[in-house]
Amino acid sequence: MAEQLNRNTQDNQLSESEARREEVLAEVRQTVSGFTGVQQKICILIMQGYPHHEIRKMLQLPETTYFRHFAKIRETFKKNPIFFKNGGSK
């Protein structure tokens, strides 16, 4: 009986975790879809784990241009409370 309750609790927690993951992924997709083409590429490469210097090189972007795009991406995500609980407040 206790084993069944424990299993149900774990399944419930997993389901909640999966639901939260799907919610966040949907929000990421929606947020990224509002970016320019270059910003979308930067986002995708960041999510794939590439460092800034490699992304700049791949996209052939000057440093100032890259970081201007990066700042806009970061600002947009920080404004969304789903990604930052306090809405990006420092």
Side-chain angles (χ1 to χ4, degrees):
M1 177 80 169
E3 207 173 293
Q4 181 63 33
L5 277 175
N6 190 24
R7 189 174 309 127
N8 287 341
T9 301
Q10 287 176 344
D11 290 346
N12 217 13
Q13 288 172 344
L14 185 57
S15 296
E16 289 174 20
S17 175
E18 289 171 350
R20 176 70 175 142
R21 181 179 184 276
E22 289 303 315
E23 178 186 3
V24 170
L25 284 174
E27 192 66 30
V28 168
R29 287 185 194 103
Q30 182 178 355
T31 301
V32 172
S33 73
F35 292 146
T36 66
V38 171
Q39 291 168 345
Q40 288 180 9
K41 289 175 187 176
I42 291 170
C43 264
I44 291 166
L45 293 169
I46 288 170
M47 288 186 282
Q48 291 175 346
Y50 287 96
H52 295 295
H53 69 276
E54 286 186 30
I55 296 170
R56 286 184 24 239
K57 193 174 184 179
M58 283 188 263
L59 300 179
Q60 299 178 340
L61 293 172
E63 185 174 9
T64 55
T65 302
Y66 172 82
F67 282 106
R68 187 174 49 239
H69 286 299
F70 180 75
K72 176 66 176 166
I73 292 164
R74 186 174 181 197
E75 175 186 319
T76 301
F77 276 100
K78 285 182 83 172
K79 285 181 181 176
N80 190 324
I82 199 168
F83 303 117
F84 288 89
K85 287 184 181 183
N86 55 6
S89 298
K90 293 180 181 179

